[in-house]
Structure formats: C-alpha cells, structure tokens
Amino acid sequence: MKQINQLAKLISEAKSIVFLTGAGVSTASGIPDFRSTDGIWTEDRSREYYTSVDYYTKDPYDFWRKYKEIFQIKLLRNFQPNEVHNFIAELETQGKDISIVTQNVDSLHSLAGNKHVVEYHGNLNTATCPVCGAHYDLAYLMEHDVPVCTTTDCKTVVRPDIVLFGDPITKHSEAEMAIASSDLMLVLGTSLLVTPFSLLPSSAKQYGIPMAIVNRDPTPMDDLFDHVIHADLVAVVEQLKQLI
C-alpha cells in the first residue's frame, strides 16, 4: 500500500516523533474500545454519568462499585502491551526521540518501556485522597470494594487518578509542548471525537510538521492529515515493521 510505504519512510527519516493514541491502540490487549461505532459508550450512555465528578460526589460508595465494573479493574493486571505498544517502544530503543500523548488510562505505553508518556486522561492504576492527598496503588484498590483513605482521622473515599466527566484537563499544555518539539505526528487508534484532545492535530498543523493518522474508522479530522489510513492498526504496524 502506497500510504504505508510513505509512512514508513517518514518514520525512518524522523528524529523526533509524537504519537497521539486512543482506545484502538489497546484493543489488541483485550481492553474495550469505549468510543468506536460499536463501543461501550454507545451501548449504555449512563456510564458517563456513573464515571462523573457529580456521581462521585453524590454517592462515592456506589461510584466505586460501578467504576470497577465499567473499567474492568479486576482484569487490569492481566492486560499487557501489544504489538502497537511494543512497536512504539522499539522506535525509542532505536534512538528516536518519542513522545506519547495518550487518551488511554491503562498505562500500557509506560509498561512497554516508553519514557515520555503524557497520560492526558490520567490512569487507572492509582488513586488519591481528595482531602489529605495520600496516594494509593492498584494493590490497595483491588483489596477493597470501596477504597477509603487510611490516614488517621481522614477516612475519606479516595478518588481514582483518571479524568472523570466534569473534570478539567490539566495535561493539554504539556501535550502541546510535546507536539512543538517533534518533526512528525502519528495519530493511532482514536476517533478524535473528544475535546480538547481532538484539538491537538490542529496545533500540529500550525507547526507545519507531517501528520498521519491510522484508525479503523474515518474521523471528523481526517482532512487535516497528510496521510490517512483506515485499516486494522496491528496489521498496519506489522507492515511498517517490515519496511523500517
């Protein structure tokens, strides 16, 4: 495929690459795609309410029960990086300056070995007490149906370290800095439907760097990109590995 050959050439020649990644990167690891045409959110829009700041504030105990079910917390330790995560990590070991801005909350990019990962929506592996700031790891979250802060005299129900619906985004500036310091942008496995993440390709366009997107389905932002590939992401990565 001509587009894949061109993309392989861009990757080979680039010194600094920024990846914007979404749920499609993690589906090969068994993690559901929340926002594809047949994803979880389309099955039950109430999930947005149950993973919102408002619901955590209203009923933190039931929030945690639904949160663990929706994000399959019990299975989190079973998820491992797949061919796409490993491909990006290999580019870094080959000497390329790699930055990743990810919508995913599974921390698989870091587990694969990439060092500069901007977790745009936070991660599922930790939680923080909103009152005293104490931090808790996945092991503690797994031990308790409803994790409560153990700090003396606190006992507050902790909050997961993901961006809940209604939360502000705090990583946007860091993401834009990663884009500004790169000479190639690759967008992988995201529908680009969620703002302000969906605004990041426009930032890259302003810098005039080459831009490519690989996603199973068309996105509203496809016209911004120099190279657009609608195909299975793992299959595309396998072809790129043979060409680079």
Short mmCIF file of all heavy atoms in Angstrom, two decimals, residues 20-39 82-85 88 102-106 108-109 187-192 197 214-217 231-237:
data_model
loop_
_atom_site.label_atom_id
_atom_site.label_comp_id
_atom_site.label_asym_id
_atom_site.label_seq_id
_atom_site.Cartn_x
_atom_site.Cartn_y
_atom_site.Cartn_z
N LEU A 20 -0.13 10.45 19.09
CA LEU A 20 -1.39 10.64 19.81
C LEU A 20 -2.13 9.32 19.72
O LEU A 20 -2.42 8.84 18.62
CB LEU A 20 -2.24 11.75 19.18
CG LEU A 20 -1.62 13.14 18.98
CD1 LEU A 20 -2.70 14.13 18.56
CD2 LEU A 20 -0.92 13.63 20.24
N THR A 21 -2.43 8.71 20.85
CA THR A 21 -3.01 7.37 20.83
C THR A 21 -4.34 7.33 21.56
O THR A 21 -4.56 8.03 22.54
CB THR A 21 -2.06 6.32 21.42
OG1 THR A 21 -1.93 6.52 22.82
CG2 THR A 21 -0.69 6.39 20.76
N GLY A 22 -5.21 6.44 21.05
CA GLY A 22 -6.52 6.26 21.65
C GLY A 22 -6.84 4.81 21.90
O GLY A 22 -5.97 3.94 21.82
N ALA A 23 -8.10 4.53 22.15
CA ALA A 23 -8.52 3.20 22.57
C ALA A 23 -8.17 2.11 21.57
O ALA A 23 -7.93 0.97 21.95
CB ALA A 23 -10.02 3.19 22.83
N GLY A 24 -8.12 2.47 20.28
CA GLY A 24 -7.79 1.48 19.27
C GLY A 24 -6.41 0.88 19.43
O GLY A 24 -6.14 -0.22 18.93
N VAL A 25 -5.52 1.56 20.14
CA VAL A 25 -4.18 1.02 20.38
C VAL A 25 -4.25 -0.12 21.40
O VAL A 25 -3.45 -1.06 21.34
CB VAL A 25 -3.24 2.14 20.88
CG1 VAL A 25 -1.92 1.57 21.37
CG2 VAL A 25 -2.98 3.15 19.76
N SER A 26 -5.17 -0.07 22.31
CA SER A 26 -5.22 -1.05 23.40
C SER A 26 -6.20 -2.19 23.17
O SER A 26 -6.23 -3.14 23.96
CB SER A 26 -5.56 -0.34 24.71
OG SER A 26 -4.50 0.49 25.12
N THR A 27 -6.99 -2.14 22.11
CA THR A 27 -7.98 -3.20 21.91
C THR A 27 -7.32 -4.56 21.69
O THR A 27 -7.87 -5.59 22.10
CB THR A 27 -8.91 -2.88 20.73
OG1 THR A 27 -8.11 -2.56 19.57
CG2 THR A 27 -9.82 -1.72 21.05
N ALA A 28 -6.13 -4.57 21.08
CA ALA A 28 -5.44 -5.85 20.86
C ALA A 28 -4.93 -6.45 22.18
O ALA A 28 -4.54 -7.62 22.21
CB ALA A 28 -4.29 -5.67 19.88
N SER A 29 -4.94 -5.65 23.24
CA SER A 29 -4.59 -6.15 24.57
C SER A 29 -5.81 -6.64 25.33
O SER A 29 -5.71 -7.04 26.49
CB SER A 29 -3.88 -5.05 25.38
OG SER A 29 -2.64 -4.71 24.81
N GLY A 30 -6.97 -6.57 24.68
CA GLY A 30 -8.20 -7.05 25.31
C GLY A 30 -8.99 -5.98 26.02
O GLY A 30 -9.98 -6.27 26.70
N ILE A 31 -8.57 -4.73 25.89
CA ILE A 31 -9.26 -3.62 26.57
C ILE A 31 -10.32 -3.05 25.62
O ILE A 31 -10.01 -2.71 24.48
CB ILE A 31 -8.25 -2.53 26.98
CG1 ILE A 31 -7.23 -3.13 27.96
CG2 ILE A 31 -8.97 -1.35 27.61
CD1 ILE A 31 -6.11 -2.19 28.32
N PRO A 32 -11.57 -2.92 26.08
CA PRO A 32 -12.64 -2.47 25.18
C PRO A 32 -12.41 -1.06 24.65
O PRO A 32 -11.84 -0.20 25.33
CB PRO A 32 -13.89 -2.51 26.08
CG PRO A 32 -13.54 -3.42 27.20
CD PRO A 32 -12.06 -3.26 27.42
N ASP A 33 -12.85 -0.86 23.42
CA ASP A 33 -12.84 0.47 22.80
C ASP A 33 -14.13 1.18 23.22
O ASP A 33 -15.22 0.78 22.85
CB ASP A 33 -12.77 0.31 21.28
CG ASP A 33 -12.71 1.65 20.55
OD1 ASP A 33 -12.98 2.68 21.19
OD2 ASP A 33 -12.38 1.65 19.36
N PHE A 34 -13.99 2.27 23.99
CA PHE A 34 -15.17 2.92 24.55
C PHE A 34 -15.94 3.73 23.52
O PHE A 34 -17.14 3.90 23.66
CB PHE A 34 -14.75 3.84 25.71
CG PHE A 34 -14.49 3.09 26.98
CD1 PHE A 34 -13.36 2.32 27.14
CD2 PHE A 34 -15.39 3.16 28.02
CE1 PHE A 34 -13.12 1.63 28.31
CE2 PHE A 34 -15.17 2.47 29.20
CZ PHE A 34 -14.03 1.71 29.34
N ARG A 35 -15.28 4.26 22.50
CA ARG A 35 -15.94 5.25 21.66
C ARG A 35 -15.98 4.90 20.17
O ARG A 35 -16.26 5.75 19.36
CB ARG A 35 -15.27 6.63 21.83
CG ARG A 35 -15.46 7.18 23.23
CD ARG A 35 -15.00 8.62 23.32
NE ARG A 35 -15.22 9.13 24.66
CZ ARG A 35 -16.37 9.64 25.10
NH1 ARG A 35 -17.39 9.71 24.29
NH2 ARG A 35 -16.49 10.07 26.33
N SER A 36 -15.68 3.68 19.81
CA SER A 36 -15.84 3.29 18.42
C SER A 36 -17.32 3.20 18.08
O SER A 36 -18.19 3.37 18.93
CB SER A 36 -15.17 1.94 18.18
OG SER A 36 -15.87 0.92 18.85
N THR A 37 -17.60 2.91 16.82
CA THR A 37 -19.00 2.87 16.39
C THR A 37 -19.79 1.79 17.12
O THR A 37 -21.02 1.85 17.16
CB THR A 37 -19.08 2.63 14.87
OG1 THR A 37 -18.30 1.46 14.55
CG2 THR A 37 -18.53 3.83 14.12
N ASP A 38 -19.10 0.79 17.66
CA ASP A 38 -19.79 -0.25 18.43
C ASP A 38 -19.19 -0.39 19.83
O ASP A 38 -19.20 -1.45 20.42
CB ASP A 38 -19.74 -1.60 17.71
CG ASP A 38 -18.31 -2.04 17.39
OD1 ASP A 38 -17.38 -1.26 17.65
OD2 ASP A 38 -18.14 -3.17 16.89
N GLY A 39 -18.70 0.72 20.36
CA GLY A 39 -18.00 0.69 21.65
C GLY A 39 -18.94 0.73 22.84
O GLY A 39 -20.17 0.80 22.72
N ASN A 82 0.68 -4.70 23.59
CA ASN A 82 0.55 -5.48 22.37
C ASN A 82 1.55 -5.01 21.30
O ASN A 82 2.45 -4.21 21.59
CB ASN A 82 -0.89 -5.44 21.86
CG ASN A 82 -1.34 -4.01 21.54
OD1 ASN A 82 -0.70 -3.28 20.79
ND2 ASN A 82 -2.47 -3.61 22.14
N GLU A 83 1.38 -5.48 20.09
CA GLU A 83 2.32 -5.18 19.01
C GLU A 83 2.47 -3.68 18.76
O GLU A 83 3.56 -3.21 18.41
CB GLU A 83 1.88 -5.87 17.71
CG GLU A 83 1.96 -7.39 17.75
CD GLU A 83 0.66 -8.02 18.25
OE1 GLU A 83 -0.11 -7.33 18.96
OE2 GLU A 83 0.43 -9.19 17.91
N VAL A 84 1.39 -2.93 18.95
CA VAL A 84 1.45 -1.49 18.69
C VAL A 84 2.28 -0.79 19.77
O VAL A 84 3.17 0.02 19.46
CB VAL A 84 0.03 -0.89 18.62
CG1 VAL A 84 0.11 0.60 18.27
CG2 VAL A 84 -0.81 -1.64 17.59
N HIS A 85 1.99 -1.09 21.05
CA HIS A 85 2.80 -0.52 22.13
C HIS A 85 4.28 -0.86 21.94
O HIS A 85 5.16 0.01 22.09
CB HIS A 85 2.35 -1.06 23.49
CG HIS A 85 0.93 -0.76 23.85
ND1 HIS A 85 -0.06 -1.71 23.76
CD2 HIS A 85 0.34 0.37 24.30
CE1 HIS A 85 -1.21 -1.17 24.15
NE2 HIS A 85 -0.99 0.09 24.49
N ILE A 88 6.10 1.11 19.14
CA ILE A 88 6.48 2.48 19.54
C ILE A 88 7.67 2.46 20.49
O ILE A 88 8.58 3.28 20.39
CB ILE A 88 5.27 3.21 20.17
CG1 ILE A 88 4.11 3.26 19.18
CG2 ILE A 88 5.66 4.62 20.60
CD1 ILE A 88 2.81 3.79 19.77
N THR A 102 -1.49 10.16 25.25
CA THR A 102 -2.49 9.10 25.14
C THR A 102 -3.77 9.42 25.88
O THR A 102 -3.75 9.97 26.98
CB THR A 102 -1.92 7.75 25.63
OG1 THR A 102 -2.89 6.72 25.37
CG2 THR A 102 -1.58 7.78 27.12
N GLN A 103 -4.87 9.07 25.25
CA GLN A 103 -6.18 9.13 25.91
C GLN A 103 -6.40 7.93 26.81
O GLN A 103 -7.29 7.94 27.65
CB GLN A 103 -7.29 9.16 24.85
CG GLN A 103 -7.34 10.41 24.01
CD GLN A 103 -8.40 10.28 22.93
OE1 GLN A 103 -8.20 9.60 21.93
NE2 GLN A 103 -9.53 10.94 23.12
N ASN A 104 -5.60 6.90 26.63
CA ASN A 104 -5.80 5.65 27.35
C ASN A 104 -5.38 5.78 28.81
O ASN A 104 -4.42 6.49 29.13
CB ASN A 104 -5.04 4.52 26.67
CG ASN A 104 -5.52 4.28 25.26
OD1 ASN A 104 -6.67 4.56 24.93
ND2 ASN A 104 -4.65 3.79 24.40
N VAL A 105 -6.05 5.04 29.67
CA VAL A 105 -5.81 5.12 31.11
C VAL A 105 -5.24 3.82 31.66
O VAL A 105 -5.26 3.58 32.86
CB VAL A 105 -7.11 5.50 31.85
CG1 VAL A 105 -7.50 6.94 31.56
CG2 VAL A 105 -8.26 4.55 31.51
N ASP A 106 -4.68 2.99 30.76
CA ASP A 106 -4.21 1.66 31.15
C ASP A 106 -2.71 1.59 31.45
O ASP A 106 -2.21 0.56 31.89
CB ASP A 106 -4.54 0.64 30.06
CG ASP A 106 -4.12 1.11 28.67
OD1 ASP A 106 -2.97 1.59 28.52
OD2 ASP A 106 -4.94 0.98 27.73
N LEU A 108 -0.23 1.19 29.57
CA LEU A 108 0.49 0.17 28.81
C LEU A 108 1.67 0.75 28.02
O LEU A 108 2.63 0.04 27.75
CB LEU A 108 -0.47 -0.57 27.88
CG LEU A 108 -1.49 -1.47 28.58
CD1 LEU A 108 -2.34 -2.21 27.55
CD2 LEU A 108 -0.81 -2.47 29.51
N HIS A 109 1.60 2.01 27.65
CA HIS A 109 2.75 2.62 26.97
C HIS A 109 3.97 2.63 27.89
O HIS A 109 5.09 2.30 27.48
CB HIS A 109 2.43 4.04 26.51
CG HIS A 109 1.57 4.11 25.28
ND1 HIS A 109 1.95 3.59 24.07
CD2 HIS A 109 0.33 4.65 25.10
CE1 HIS A 109 1.00 3.81 23.17
NE2 HIS A 109 0.00 4.45 23.78
N VAL A 187 -1.05 9.76 14.60
CA VAL A 187 -2.25 9.58 15.40
C VAL A 187 -2.73 8.16 15.18
O VAL A 187 -2.97 7.74 14.05
CB VAL A 187 -3.34 10.59 15.01
CG1 VAL A 187 -4.61 10.35 15.82
CG2 VAL A 187 -2.84 12.02 15.22
N LEU A 188 -2.85 7.40 16.26
CA LEU A 188 -3.16 5.97 16.16
C LEU A 188 -4.38 5.60 17.00
O LEU A 188 -4.41 5.87 18.20
CB LEU A 188 -1.97 5.13 16.63
CG LEU A 188 -0.60 5.38 15.98
CD1 LEU A 188 0.44 4.44 16.60
CD2 LEU A 188 -0.66 5.18 14.47
N GLY A 189 -5.36 4.99 16.37
CA GLY A 189 -6.45 4.36 17.10
C GLY A 189 -7.33 5.28 17.90
O GLY A 189 -7.76 4.93 19.00
N THR A 190 -7.65 6.45 17.36
CA THR A 190 -8.55 7.35 18.07
C THR A 190 -9.53 7.98 17.09
O THR A 190 -9.15 8.33 15.96
CB THR A 190 -7.82 8.45 18.84
OG1 THR A 190 -8.78 9.38 19.37
CG2 THR A 190 -6.83 9.20 17.97
N SER A 191 -10.78 8.12 17.51
CA SER A 191 -11.81 8.70 16.66
C SER A 191 -11.76 10.23 16.65
O SER A 191 -12.47 10.86 15.87
CB SER A 191 -13.19 8.24 17.13
OG SER A 191 -13.38 8.57 18.50
N LEU A 192 -10.94 10.81 17.54
CA LEU A 192 -10.80 12.27 17.65
C LEU A 192 -12.15 12.95 17.83
O LEU A 192 -12.44 13.99 17.24
CB LEU A 192 -10.07 12.83 16.43
CG LEU A 192 -8.60 12.41 16.29
CD1 LEU A 192 -8.02 12.89 14.97
CD2 LEU A 192 -7.77 12.97 17.46
N PHE A 197 -8.75 17.02 23.46
CA PHE A 197 -7.75 16.17 22.79
C PHE A 197 -7.84 16.30 21.28
O PHE A 197 -6.82 16.33 20.58
CB PHE A 197 -7.97 14.71 23.21
CG PHE A 197 -6.91 13.75 22.72
CD1 PHE A 197 -5.78 13.51 23.47
CD2 PHE A 197 -7.05 13.11 21.50
CE1 PHE A 197 -4.79 12.63 23.03
CE2 PHE A 197 -6.08 12.22 21.05
CZ PHE A 197 -4.95 11.99 21.82
N VAL A 214 -3.78 6.68 11.54
CA VAL A 214 -4.16 5.30 11.27
C VAL A 214 -5.29 4.95 12.24
O VAL A 214 -5.09 4.94 13.45
CB VAL A 214 -2.98 4.32 11.46
CG1 VAL A 214 -3.44 2.90 11.10
CG2 VAL A 214 -1.78 4.73 10.63
N ASN A 215 -6.47 4.69 11.69
CA ASN A 215 -7.63 4.37 12.52
C ASN A 215 -8.56 3.48 11.73
O ASN A 215 -8.64 3.58 10.50
CB ASN A 215 -8.36 5.65 12.95
CG ASN A 215 -9.37 5.41 14.06
OD1 ASN A 215 -9.00 4.88 15.12
ND2 ASN A 215 -10.62 5.80 13.85
N ARG A 216 -9.26 2.61 12.41
CA ARG A 216 -10.16 1.68 11.73
C ARG A 216 -11.26 2.42 10.98
O ARG A 216 -11.61 2.08 9.86
CB ARG A 216 -10.77 0.71 12.74
CG ARG A 216 -11.63 -0.37 12.12
CD ARG A 216 -12.30 -1.21 13.21
NE ARG A 216 -13.26 -0.43 13.98
CZ ARG A 216 -13.95 -0.89 15.00
NH1 ARG A 216 -13.76 -2.14 15.42
NH2 ARG A 216 -14.81 -0.13 15.64
N ASP A 217 -11.83 3.46 11.64
CA ASP A 217 -12.95 4.20 11.05
C ASP A 217 -12.51 5.60 10.66
O ASP A 217 -11.56 6.15 11.23
CB ASP A 217 -14.09 4.30 12.06
CG ASP A 217 -14.59 2.94 12.51
OD1 ASP A 217 -14.74 2.06 11.65
OD2 ASP A 217 -14.82 2.77 13.73
N ALA A 231 -7.57 1.20 8.50
CA ALA A 231 -7.26 -0.24 8.49
C ALA A 231 -7.02 -0.70 9.90
O ALA A 231 -6.96 0.10 10.84
CB ALA A 231 -6.02 -0.49 7.63
N ASP A 232 -6.90 -2.02 10.06
CA ASP A 232 -6.58 -2.58 11.36
C ASP A 232 -5.19 -2.12 11.78
O ASP A 232 -4.21 -2.27 11.04
CB ASP A 232 -6.61 -4.11 11.28
CG ASP A 232 -6.23 -4.75 12.60
OD1 ASP A 232 -7.06 -4.78 13.51
OD2 ASP A 232 -5.06 -5.20 12.71
N LEU A 233 -5.09 -1.57 12.97
CA LEU A 233 -3.86 -0.94 13.43
C LEU A 233 -2.72 -1.95 13.58
O LEU A 233 -1.58 -1.67 13.18
CB LEU A 233 -4.12 -0.22 14.75
CG LEU A 233 -3.01 0.68 15.31
CD1 LEU A 233 -2.53 1.67 14.26
CD2 LEU A 233 -3.51 1.40 16.55
N VAL A 234 -3.00 -3.11 14.14
CA VAL A 234 -1.96 -4.12 14.31
C VAL A 234 -1.42 -4.57 12.95
O VAL A 234 -0.20 -4.72 12.77
CB VAL A 234 -2.49 -5.33 15.11
CG1 VAL A 234 -1.46 -6.46 15.11
CG2 VAL A 234 -2.82 -4.92 16.54
N ALA A 235 -2.30 -4.74 11.97
CA ALA A 235 -1.87 -5.15 10.62
C ALA A 235 -0.98 -4.08 9.99
O ALA A 235 0.04 -4.40 9.35
CB ALA A 235 -3.09 -5.41 9.75
N VAL A 236 -1.33 -2.82 10.19
CA VAL A 236 -0.52 -1.73 9.64
C VAL A 236 0.86 -1.71 10.30
O VAL A 236 1.89 -1.55 9.64
CB VAL A 236 -1.23 -0.37 9.83
CG1 VAL A 236 -0.29 0.79 9.47
CG2 VAL A 236 -2.49 -0.31 8.97
N VAL A 237 0.89 -1.88 11.62
CA VAL A 237 2.16 -1.89 12.35
C VAL A 237 3.05 -3.03 11.87
O VAL A 237 4.27 -2.86 11.72
CB VAL A 237 1.91 -1.97 13.87
CG1 VAL A 237 3.18 -2.40 14.61
CG2 VAL A 237 1.43 -0.62 14.39
#
